[in-house]
Amino acid sequence: MDPVSAALVGLVVMFLFMAFGMPIAFAMLLAGVLGNAYLLSIPAATHLLATNVWEQFSSYGLSVVPLFVLMGQFAYRAGVTERLYDAAYKWVGRLPGGLASTTIAACAGFSAICGSNSATAATMGTIALPEMRRYRYDPALSTASIAVGGTLGVVIPPSVVLIVIGVQTEQSLLRLFLAGIIPGLILALLFMLTILVMCLRNPKLGPLGPATSLKEKLASLSGVVETLILFVLVIGGLYMGWFTPSEAGAAGAFGALVIGVARRRLSLQGIVQSIIESVRISAMVVLLITGAVLFGRFLTVSRLPFALAEWASSLQVAPVLILLVVIVIYLIGGALMDALGFLVVTIPIFFPLAAALGYDPVWYTVVLTIVTTMGAVTPPVGVNVFIVHGLAPDIPMYTIFRGVGYFMLAYLLCLALMYFFPATVLFLPNALLG
């Protein structure tokens, strides 16, 4: 069997492992070991396994993951999210569907200090759902706004997905973080516009909230100050060269800890729970990256990514058509398995393809991030939908997925804006970093 055919068989074997319930990270590890053993030798495969596992778990670059996750955990338990939600509600709660728009705005704010879609959805769901129930919001709209709002956690920096792609493709994390800001805000605004249009057409979906005075609105802004301080500390520190990415994560985590202790909202038990949860999430991410790197070595040896890139560049079709095919593959893959897992599996395949088509790697990374967020809310494996359903078990999964369908156009419009106006992605990194 030639190497390219062996790689295709390896992909099939890996997906079979997943279909039989094997965790994604271990499926990639096992398929990578078997593939390297076939193409190279058993000693070479075991050597690659040992060295790759050691390199990833001892990697200084990956220390950024637990630190940013820990910052989000501390901020959540310090009550930062509650104050963010209150501030957003004072400003947009009076609009049609105002509570749902408040949820989107608060998700965007929390995403600036969290980096995880599931954590954002779970955190905002505990705060927003009771309020929307109290005001008799439509169940599909209320649950879907939480699910899609949570996806902003992996677009607006610091984003775990941007970190994963940046580590795998050896790109500047600061450049990727800056590139994600404008698309994330555009996506949040499109979500809010979707809610406004829906509730103008059918006011029963999201009744108006009570009016608030200008004085109350201005007073509520104090709840945004903590989030702004943490965001400026992290992104500003990176931009000014005060911190490396890992040091920025440590500074952000320490800042969130200080805020929680100063407000007397973060107990010793809360600190311990934050650390435990951060270790659990970080171990999952690092294992995924380790499996993806090893499987990527197998694909590199087989030369499948380069063969695919050469084939695509030889086609007499516009590059945008190939890009659309890649996006469809990601949408289907993200719907059938964990979106982050599918992403790390396919990065070694599709990044060389993007380079061959002439797409900017930073722009392409943000496009893949947006598409990956869609996988977190599409059936049958929309993790954010499962999280929201866990918070509201009386609302059927079908109802939540139906509500999510209202927001699909917003995702597609955001991708279209990014394609026709690449400056939406590249303006900030090019203007600030050159």
Side-chain angles (χ1 to χ4, degrees):
M1 190 186 307
D2 65 275
V4 172
S5 299
L8 295 174
V9 171
L11 284 167
V12 173
V13 169
M14 182 189 65
F15 284 113
L16 285 176
F17 286 154
M18 296 180 196
F20 284 104
M22 183 179 289
I24 296 170
F26 294 110
M28 289 189 290
L29 277 170
L30 184 54
V33 169
L34 294 176
N36 285 318
Y38 178 80
L39 293 180
L40 300 173
S41 66
I42 293 177
T46 55
H47 175 73
L48 281 173
L49 173 63
T51 55
N52 274 277
V53 169
W54 168 252
E55 285 174 2
Q56 297 307 314
F57 276 84
S58 62
S59 168
Y60 174 74
L62 279 180
S63 63
V64 69
V65 175
L67 292 169
F68 277 123
V69 173
L70 184 62
M71 179 176 70
Q73 290 293 321
F74 281 157
Y76 163 56
R77 288 181 170 82
V80 171
T81 48
E82 296 171 19
R83 294 186 285 278
L84 266 175
Y85 192 83
D86 179 67
Y89 178 65
K90 290 291 195 299
W91 284 89
V92 300
R94 188 60 179 166
L95 296 173
L99 272 175
S101 293
T102 296
T103 301
I104 299 297
C107 283
F110 186 62
S111 297
I113 54 173
C114 179
S116 165
N117 58 3
S118 56
T120 303
T123 302
M124 297 312 307
T126 58
I127 300 169
L129 268 177
E131 289 295 309
M132 286 191 274
R133 284 182 187 274
R134 187 157 66 92
Y135 285 95
R136 301 181 183 278
Y137 267 59
D138 177 73
L141 174 64
S142 60
T143 51
S145 63
I146 296 167
V148 300
T151 64
L152 296 172
V154 296
V155 182
I156 297 174
S159 158
V160 170
V161 169
L162 289 176
I163 293 171
V164 168
I165 300 177
V167 169
Q168 275 196 266
T169 58
E170 299 181 347
Q171 295 186 70
S172 163
L173 291 186
L174 175 57
R175 187 172 288 275
L176 293 180
F177 283 176
L178 292 172
I181 294 175
I182 293 178
L185 294 176
I186 289 173
L187 190 58
L189 288 173
L190 288 172
F191 287 158
M192 295 171 72
L193 182 62
T194 301
I195 292 168
L196 180 62
V197 171
M198 289 172 58
C199 293
L200 284 174
R201 294 181 62 187
N202 183 2
K204 292 181 180 179
L205 293 177
L208 298 177
T212 56
S213 66
L214 179 60
K215 182 179 179 181
E216 290 175 308
K217 286 181 170 66
L218 294 175
S220 70
L221 292 178
S222 62
V224 182
V225 171
E226 298 154 345
T227 302
L228 189 61
I229 289 172
L230 290 175
F231 183 76
V232 171
L233 175 66
V234 171
I235 304 300
L238 278 171
Y239 173 67
M240 297 299 293
W242 299 339
F243 309 130
T244 65
S246 295
E247 290 167 350
F254 180 73
L257 175 63
V258 170
I259 290 170
V261 172
R263 282 190 169 270
R264 298 183 179 181
R265 292 289 303 270
L266 195 59
S267 63
L268 179 60
Q269 182 183 8
I271 293 173
V272 172
Q273 288 175 340
S274 298
I275 293 172
I276 291 173
E277 186 66 14
S278 299
V279 169
R280 187 187 66 80
I281 294 172
S282 303
M284 179 269 292
V285 172
V286 174
L287 264 177
L288 275 174
I289 295 175
T290 303
V293 167
L294 188 66
F295 191 73
R297 294 287 174 87
F298 161 53
L299 294 179
T300 301
V301 171
S302 73
R303 294 195 58 79
L304 173 63
F306 308 106
L308 181 63
E310 291 170 4
W311 171 76
S313 60
S314 68
L315 293 176
Q316 299 301 313
V317 296
V320 65
L321 295 179
I322 300 175
L323 178 65
L324 288 174
V325 171
V326 171
I327 289 175
V328 170
I329 291 171
Y330 271 95
L331 289 175
I332 295 172
L336 298 177
M337 60 182 284
D338 175 74
L340 179 59
F342 186 76
L343 179 69
V344 296
V345 169
T346 52
I347 283 174
I349 301 173
F350 290 122
F351 246 83
L353 176 61
L357 295 174
Y359 289 115
D360 183 276
V362 173
W363 179 87
Y364 187 67
T365 296
V366 179
V367 167
L368 289 191
T369 302
I370 298 287
V371 177
T372 301
T373 65
M374 296 174 70
V377 291
T378 49
V381 192
V383 63
N384 277 21
V385 173
F386 281 93
I387 288 170
V388 174
H389 178 64
L391 297 172
D394 58 309
I395 299 177
M397 294 283 291
Y398 165 79
T399 300
I400 306 175
F401 278 122
R402 177 168 58 85
V404 166
Y406 300 143
F407 294 90
M408 285 296 112
L409 180 60
Y411 285 109
L412 297 177
L413 283 175
C414 185
L415 288 171
L417 285 171
M418 290 164 61
Y419 178 78
F420 289 109
F421 304 99
T424 54
V425 179
L426 300 176
F427 172 74
L428 278 181
N430 288 345
L432 297 177
L433 302 179

